[in-house]
């Protein structure tokens, strides 16, 4: 058995940690809500990562952000190709948002769809499995919520203005990262933050010291946020985030170079604008929050010169853009022993692929809409017993690139029960359902893949049973789960045309597993662990040979098999000015044909591995305004493939290994 762990996904309750704990139980972070006891369910977030951990890890990409959470795997190695998997299900099966702005859409299944700068993040919430009605539409496998910083997070109560400068170096890729953040109170009621970030890295090296071709990156990020109070009862925030990536990439960025996988110029950009409005008059019945957003995610591929159908030499350029707009309006009311959240949401998606050359002549446009209404009640029935129940109704509309119209709708109920046996120990169980209607296709298959005219909505159900112990120094949580997704959509062969390029309901999948995590805090140290076992596989399939087999890398946009994962972490405060930590992640080998890796004749076993990291923070000045963060990732220079790497090993091509040892250093100066 091989495994690996870091600062645990299960971290501790804030109240019982004597050492800073960046990853905490969602429920424990909400003790300020008096009517909800600490053991009760206040939000659907299972795990929370805060900026303390992101800073100490010197997080540079998605893999760094989720490194210590065993329920979350990030494959792809190359940052441009990284994909997130929660309990083996890809992020395309999740509801992903940044400050409430949903990140719908999918650029290209050969590279990741999410782009976020860890430097800007205040917090990340993870929901594993179908959750509360507040999780949003289409959350078949859960939700990821990224929350960005504001000026108020950086300013001390007596400060008016400030600045934060960072300069970092990454040894593996011989790269640097520089950021400048200015923030302040423009008036007594209005805060402003502006952040500019530049990152430039060369090609990475794997654990064998071999260069990972075309993994170099040049990225620029701009972020601005203004927030504050309009009146004594009204407040707002407006943010705009621009992320630009430019470089030469492989056509299929997650594979090695080959005749069919050639390098080409790629340029991608994400623009997200979000407006949040809050209204909270006196009393407990009205606490209104409205979020409106627009996200534009675009990518340009400039192919080498080729020949069009007339035999003319031409350079082919594809431009693709995903444009998503929407809003979420919700009100929270508290009366007696109830906390009720009710709201409605809406999203409009438009996908466009434009062929600006003459070689392949692919193009297409699709438009989709989602309407939702929901209510969730957190009810403290007795001092020891809490009930959380809710339901949402969603309606989906889609006009695809073949001018086919789809329409589907349905209800998604949930029920969660928590019983506090003692003040420290509680048990819980829950059920949740989520539906997802027909959605806009990924950009680079528009005009190429068709939709089955009889395609039905997907339906997910999740059942969990667990316990939680919150002691003075010890925190332990465990649960077992069973999730199903009926009528899962993937590629299937059209029986009439024999074309394999058809999206259809291919079958029903089932995912069983368990999680256990804990943390023990000493005066100046803390030890944590977390373990996850997930087994997504086909319960039924249009191809009878796949029934009972694992969800494999062949089912892109659904999921993959990941071995049992263990994370371990130790945090220690040597002095008031020096903090050190060790974390490790152990992943068990997958070698049982069918059950774990689909078919050994097609996809060989996935080797187990363990990866260790060290990190340290030194506050150089007494006022902590100047500090040095040092991290050594993959200390032993391990050569390995993450189990979540798409087609890591296969008959067609080979995925990209993870980076080898990386020594990172960041100096921070706060004025």
């Amino acid at each position: 058995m091989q495994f690996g762990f870091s600062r645990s996904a299960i971290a501790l309750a804030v109240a019982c940690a004597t050492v800073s704990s960046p990853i905490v139980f969602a429920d424990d972070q909400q003790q300020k809500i008096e009517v909800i006891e600490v053991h009760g369910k206040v939000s659907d977030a299972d795990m929370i990562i805060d900026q303390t951990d992101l800073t100490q890890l010197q997080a540079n990409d998605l893999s760094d952000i989720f490194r210590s959470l065993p329920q979350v795997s990030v494959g792809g190695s190359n940052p441009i190709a990284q994909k997130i998997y929660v309990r083996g299900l890809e992020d395309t099966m999740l509801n992903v948002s940044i400050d409430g702005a949903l990140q719908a859409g999918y650029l290209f299944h050969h590279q990741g769809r999410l782009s976020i700068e860890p430097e800007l993040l205040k917090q990340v919430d993870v929901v594993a499995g179908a959750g509360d009605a507040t999780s949003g539409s289409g959350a078949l496998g859960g939700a990821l919520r990224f929350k960005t910083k504001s000026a108020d997070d950086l300013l001390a109560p007596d400060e008016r203005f400030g600045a934060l400068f960072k300069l970092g170096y990454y040894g593996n890729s011989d790269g640097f990262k520089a950021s400048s953040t200015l923030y302040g109170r423009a008036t007594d009621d209005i805060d402003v933050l502006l952040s500019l970030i530049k990152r430039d890295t060369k090609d990475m090296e794997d654990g064998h010291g071999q260069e990972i071709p075309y993994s170099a990156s040049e990225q620029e990020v701009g972020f601005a946020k203004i927030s504050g109070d309009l009146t004594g009862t009204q407040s707002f925030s407006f943010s705009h985030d621009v992320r630009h990536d430019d470089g030469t990439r492989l056509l299929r960025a997650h594979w090695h170079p080959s005749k069919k996988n050639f390098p080409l110029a790629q340029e991608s950009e994400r623009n997200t604008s979000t407006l949040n409005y809050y209204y909270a008059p006196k009393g407990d019945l009205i606490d209104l929050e409205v979020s409106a957003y627009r996200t534009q995610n675009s990518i340009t591929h400039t192919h080498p010169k080729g020949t069009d159908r007339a035999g003319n030499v031409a350079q082919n350029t594809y431009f693709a853009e995903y444009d998503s707009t929407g809003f979420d309006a919700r009100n929270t009311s508290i009366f007696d022993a109830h906390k009720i959240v009710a709201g409605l949401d809406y999203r409009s998606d438009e996908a466009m692929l434009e062929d600006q050359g003459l070689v392949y002549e692919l193009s297409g446009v699709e438009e989709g809409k989602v309407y939702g209404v929901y209510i969730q009640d957190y009810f403290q029935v007795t001092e020891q017993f809490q009930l959380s129940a809710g339901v949402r109704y969603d309606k989906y509309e889609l006009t695809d690139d073949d001018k086919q119209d789809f329409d589907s709708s349905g209800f998604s109920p949930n029920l969660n029960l928590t019983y506090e046996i003692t003040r420290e120990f509680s048990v819980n169980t829950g059920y949740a359902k989520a539906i997802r209607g027909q959605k806009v296709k990924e950009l680079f298959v528009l005009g190429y893949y068709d939709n089955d005219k009889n395609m039905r909505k997907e339906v997910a159900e999740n059942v969990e049973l667990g316990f939680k112990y919150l002691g003075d120094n010890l925190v332990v949580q465990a649960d077992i789960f069973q999730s199903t997704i009926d009528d899962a959509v993937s590629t299937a062969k059209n029986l009439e045309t024999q074309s394999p390029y058809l999206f259809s309901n291919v079958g029903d999948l089932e995912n069983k597993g368990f999680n256990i995590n804990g943390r023990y805090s000493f005066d100046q140290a803390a030890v944590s662990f977390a373990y996850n076992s997930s087994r997504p596989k086909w319960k039924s399939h249009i191809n009878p040979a796949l029934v009972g087999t694992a969800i494999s890398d062949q089912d892109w946009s659904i999921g993959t098999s990941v071995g049992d994962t263990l994370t371990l972490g130790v945090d220690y405060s040597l002095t008031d000015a020096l903090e050190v930590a060790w974390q490790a992640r152990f992943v068990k080998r997958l070698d049982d044909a069918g059950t774990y890796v689909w078919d050994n004749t097609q996809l060989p076993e996935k080797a187990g591995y363990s990866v260790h990291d060290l990190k340290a923070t030194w506050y150089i000045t007494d006022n902590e305004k100047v500090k040095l963060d040092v991290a050594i990732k993959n200390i032993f220079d391990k050569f390995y493939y993450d189990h979540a790497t798409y087609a890591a090993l296969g008959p067609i091509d080979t995925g990209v290994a993870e980076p080898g040892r990386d020594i990172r250093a960041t100096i921070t100066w706060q004025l």
Side-chain angles (χ1 to χ4, degrees), residues 173 252 285 302 382 405 408 428 437 462 516 563 639:
S173 56
R252 298 168 178 84
L285 294 182
T302 302
T382 68
D405 291 323
S408 59
N428 59 274
N462 186 58
I516 182 168
F639 177 87

Side-chain angles (χ1 to χ4, degrees), residues 156-301:
D158 58 343
E159 287 184 323
R160 296 285 299 181
F161 300 98
L164 186 68
F165 303 101
K166 290 187 177 183
L167 183 62
Y169 176 76
Y170 305 94
N172 184 291
S173 56
D174 192 21
F176 77 91
K177 178 179 178 180
S179 69
S180 300
T181 303
L182 304 177
Y183 50 90
R185 294 188 172 96
T187 69
D188 290 340
D189 299 319
I190 304 297
D191 300 333
V192 179
L193 179 146
L194 174 64
S195 188
L196 299 175
I197 301 167
K198 169 74 172 179
R199 180 168 60 229
D200 196 344
T201 62
K202 297 179 181 178
D203 287 342
M204 301 181 297
E205 292 184 354
D206 61 28
H208 287 160
Q210 298 297 311
E211 192 174 85
I212 301 174
Y214 303 102
S215 59
S217 65
E218 184 176 344
Q219 297 175 341
E220 298 169 342
V221 176
F223 178 73
K225 178 183 279 190
I226 180 171
S227 56
D229 298 327
L230 298 173
T231 67
T233 59
Q234 300 177 85
S235 60
F236 80 101
S237 71
F238 175 78
S239 64
H240 183 69
D241 178 12
V242 179
R243 179 181 174 90
H244 184 268
D245 182 281
D246 192 2
T248 299
R249 311 271 188 245
L250 293 171
L251 174 62
R252 298 168 178 84
H254 64 299
W255 284 347
H256 284 103
S258 67
K259 184 177 180 180
K260 294 184 177 181
N261 194 28
F262 48 85
L264 70 164
Q266 296 187 33
E267 185 176 2
S268 61
E269 184 170 291
R270 177 178 61 80
N271 286 266
T272 298
S273 298
T274 308
L275 175 64
N276 291 290
Y277 169 79
Y278 310 91
Y279 175 59
K282 291 183 179 180
D284 296 327
L285 294 182
I286 299 178
D287 189 349
L288 178 66
E289 177 180 351
V290 180
S291 299
Y293 60 87
R294 182 182 185 184
T295 294
Q296 293 172 290
N297 213 343
S298 65
I299 186 169
T300 301
H301 278 187

